[in-house]
Amino acid sequence: MDAQRSIRRQISCVGIGLHSGNKVNLTLKPAPADSGIRFRRTDLGQHEVPATVQHLAGIQLATGLASNEVSVETVEHLLAALVSVGIDNVLIELNSPEVPIMDGSAAPFIYLIHEAGVKRLQAARKYLKIVRPIAISRGDKRIALFPSDHFKVTYSISYDHPLLRHQSRTIRITEDSFAEEVAPARTFTFLKDVEMMRQNGLALGGSLENAIVLGETGILNNSLRFDDEFVRHKILDAVGDLALVGYPVIGHLVAHRAGHALHTEFAAKILEETHSWRLVEAPVDGLVPMAVPGKAAAPRLAN
Ligand SMILES: [Zn+2]
């Protein structure tokens, strides 16, 4: 049986919120099978916000969730790290609205999850296997999922900037490939946008310690972690946003010039297109998953 997973023990870290600049305590706690990934704002009581498309709120600069006026922001890098390690169930506690930005990548969260350890639970994991293409486009921004025996992502970006006119990469996402080739890629921004965000009271916690900043002709940071760190970070964001579907996806995600708004709109569209996927179990690692007999293909709705 390909079992659902949680973390083995509670673990915490401290960082700052990218937009508020405030110090944030983050704690990951083990959670039971079928409870999913959930957030709790310890500064606002016991109410939990499930990490699902049904709770999407605010997707301009980062991906946010909300339920009963309890909101959490900038969830995507942590979600990408969790799903890449195969964590299906975890309670994430924050004492502030924002997940800490750490170094702008998912690598510190991968480290945190490994420190907590992985626990296999007594329940089968279900995958959402794409059987027919699903696609949306908005102008020249496109995103689609195609049938495939593996989860892989092809991403391409193009900007009017000498360092990233066009970058494209395909990565088959596994725990190892994500940790080595995707997780260390940092978020990036343009210096002209930083100035505008600061004027609007945003990015107050942003610095060269947690983002690649692009000036007119080059980067303000000393170096890149990969020549194509930018497109790798877009893959990271897409993996994190796709986690809001609520199941690991088996399919080939292809995105061009997309962003959080299109990623999350697409995650919601996937759940609506019930004829384009099936829920399956993977009885043996490495084999193509089998259809679950007699189970309706209904999304795991949050309550
Ligand atoms: Zn990002």
Side-chain angles (χ1 to χ4, degrees), residues 8 17 69 124 147 197 199 224 250 271 293:
R8 188 162 290 283
E69 299 185 7
M197 285 190 282
Q199 281 167 11
L224 293 173
I250 301 174
L271 289 183

PDB file of all heavy atoms in Angstrom, residues 8 17 69 124 147 197 199 224 250 271 293:
ATOM      1  N   ARG A   8       6.748  12.971  11.774  1.00  0.00           N
ATOM      2  CA  ARG A   8       6.903  12.095  12.940  1.00  0.00           C
ATOM      3  C   ARG A   8       6.764  12.874  14.246  1.00  0.00           C
ATOM      4  O   ARG A   8       6.197  12.369  15.206  1.00  0.00           O
ATOM      5  CB  ARG A   8       8.276  11.411  12.861  1.00  0.00           C
ATOM      6  CG  ARG A   8       8.521  10.335  13.883  1.00  0.00           C
ATOM      7  CD  ARG A   8       9.672   9.455  13.476  1.00  0.00           C
ATOM      8  NE  ARG A   8       9.341   8.610  12.325  1.00  0.00           N
ATOM      9  CZ  ARG A   8       8.602   7.506  12.389  1.00  0.00           C
ATOM     10  NH1 ARG A   8       8.136   7.084  13.540  1.00  0.00           N
ATOM     11  NH2 ARG A   8       8.335   6.817  11.297  1.00  0.00           N
ATOM     12  N   GLY A  17       8.012  37.690   7.967  1.00  0.00           N
ATOM     13  CA  GLY A  17       7.021  37.771   6.897  1.00  0.00           C
ATOM     14  C   GLY A  17       7.552  38.699   5.810  1.00  0.00           C
ATOM     15  O   GLY A  17       8.032  39.785   6.110  1.00  0.00           O
ATOM     16  N   GLU A  69     -12.760  34.556   8.215  1.00  0.00           N
ATOM     17  CA  GLU A  69     -11.965  35.773   8.443  1.00  0.00           C
ATOM     18  C   GLU A  69     -10.600  35.504   9.057  1.00  0.00           C
ATOM     19  O   GLU A  69      -9.921  36.426   9.513  1.00  0.00           O
ATOM     20  CB  GLU A  69     -12.750  36.791   9.278  1.00  0.00           C
ATOM     21  CG  GLU A  69     -14.035  37.208   8.552  1.00  0.00           C
ATOM     22  CD  GLU A  69     -14.802  38.297   9.248  1.00  0.00           C
ATOM     23  OE1 GLU A  69     -14.289  38.850  10.232  1.00  0.00           O
ATOM     24  OE2 GLU A  69     -15.907  38.591   8.779  1.00  0.00           O
ATOM     25  N   ALA A 124      -4.555   4.410   2.813  1.00  0.00           N
ATOM     26  CA  ALA A 124      -4.003   4.491   1.450  1.00  0.00           C
ATOM     27  C   ALA A 124      -4.054   5.925   0.939  1.00  0.00           C
ATOM     28  O   ALA A 124      -5.019   6.641   1.187  1.00  0.00           O
ATOM     29  CB  ALA A 124      -4.784   3.577   0.523  1.00  0.00           C
ATOM     30  N   PRO A 147      -2.332  13.857 -19.711  1.00  0.00           N
ATOM     31  CA  PRO A 147      -2.097  12.534 -19.132  1.00  0.00           C
ATOM     32  C   PRO A 147      -0.612  12.159 -19.198  1.00  0.00           C
ATOM     33  O   PRO A 147       0.064  12.444 -20.191  1.00  0.00           O
ATOM     34  CB  PRO A 147      -2.945  11.608 -20.015  1.00  0.00           C
ATOM     35  CG  PRO A 147      -4.017  12.494 -20.566  1.00  0.00           C
ATOM     36  CD  PRO A 147      -3.355  13.826 -20.768  1.00  0.00           C
ATOM     37  N   MET A 197       6.237  48.464  -4.372  1.00  0.00           N
ATOM     38  CA  MET A 197       5.650  47.705  -3.258  1.00  0.00           C
ATOM     39  C   MET A 197       5.910  48.398  -1.927  1.00  0.00           C
ATOM     40  O   MET A 197       5.031  48.498  -1.084  1.00  0.00           O
ATOM     41  CB  MET A 197       6.212  46.273  -3.237  1.00  0.00           C
ATOM     42  CG  MET A 197       5.630  45.387  -4.327  1.00  0.00           C
ATOM     43  SD  MET A 197       6.069  43.648  -4.113  1.00  0.00           S
ATOM     44  CE  MET A 197       7.749  43.629  -4.730  1.00  0.00           C
ATOM     45  N   GLN A 199       6.314  51.519  -1.381  1.00  0.00           N
ATOM     46  CA  GLN A 199       5.445  52.708  -1.271  1.00  0.00           C
ATOM     47  C   GLN A 199       4.038  52.313  -0.832  1.00  0.00           C
ATOM     48  O   GLN A 199       3.322  53.095  -0.221  1.00  0.00           O
ATOM     49  CB  GLN A 199       5.391  53.440  -2.619  1.00  0.00           C
ATOM     50  CG  GLN A 199       6.624  54.296  -2.864  1.00  0.00           C
ATOM     51  CD  GLN A 199       6.727  54.766  -4.312  1.00  0.00           C
ATOM     52  OE1 GLN A 199       5.782  54.623  -5.081  1.00  0.00           O
ATOM     53  NE2 GLN A 199       7.862  55.334  -4.669  1.00  0.00           N
ATOM     54  N   LEU A 224      23.745  33.551  -8.588  1.00  0.00           N
ATOM     55  CA  LEU A 224      22.562  32.707  -8.707  1.00  0.00           C
ATOM     56  C   LEU A 224      22.906  31.296  -8.237  1.00  0.00           C
ATOM     57  O   LEU A 224      24.059  30.872  -8.306  1.00  0.00           O
ATOM     58  CB  LEU A 224      22.092  32.660 -10.165  1.00  0.00           C
ATOM     59  CG  LEU A 224      21.551  33.969 -10.749  1.00  0.00           C
ATOM     60  CD1 LEU A 224      21.283  33.799 -12.247  1.00  0.00           C
ATOM     61  CD2 LEU A 224      20.275  34.398 -10.023  1.00  0.00           C
ATOM     62  N   ILE A 250      -1.104  13.090 -10.835  1.00  0.00           N
ATOM     63  CA  ILE A 250      -0.292  12.327 -11.796  1.00  0.00           C
ATOM     64  C   ILE A 250      -0.653  12.856 -13.174  1.00  0.00           C
ATOM     65  O   ILE A 250      -1.761  12.630 -13.677  1.00  0.00           O
ATOM     66  CB  ILE A 250      -0.568  10.819 -11.701  1.00  0.00           C
ATOM     67  CG1 ILE A 250      -0.250  10.311 -10.284  1.00  0.00           C
ATOM     68  CG2 ILE A 250       0.270  10.061 -12.736  1.00  0.00           C
ATOM     69  CD1 ILE A 250      -0.631   8.868 -10.051  1.00  0.00           C
ATOM     70  N   LEU A 271     -10.588  20.554 -10.314  1.00  0.00           N
ATOM     71  CA  LEU A 271     -11.605  19.878  -9.495  1.00  0.00           C
ATOM     72  C   LEU A 271     -12.987  19.928 -10.146  1.00  0.00           C
ATOM     73  O   LEU A 271     -13.803  19.030  -9.940  1.00  0.00           O
ATOM     74  CB  LEU A 271     -11.651  20.485  -8.087  1.00  0.00           C
ATOM     75  CG  LEU A 271     -10.434  20.163  -7.213  1.00  0.00           C
ATOM     76  CD1 LEU A 271     -10.606  20.751  -5.825  1.00  0.00           C
ATOM     77  CD2 LEU A 271     -10.179  18.658  -7.128  1.00  0.00           C
ATOM     78  N   PRO A 293     -11.548   0.738  -7.314  1.00  0.00           N
ATOM     79  CA  PRO A 293     -12.846   0.183  -7.703  1.00  0.00           C
ATOM     80  C   PRO A 293     -13.968   0.735  -6.835  1.00  0.00           C
ATOM     81  O   PRO A 293     -13.834   0.842  -5.608  1.00  0.00           O
ATOM     82  CB  PRO A 293     -12.670  -1.325  -7.492  1.00  0.00           C
ATOM     83  CG  PRO A 293     -11.498  -1.474  -6.593  1.00  0.00           C
ATOM     84  CD  PRO A 293     -10.648  -0.257  -6.732  1.00  0.00           C
TER      85      PRO A 293
END
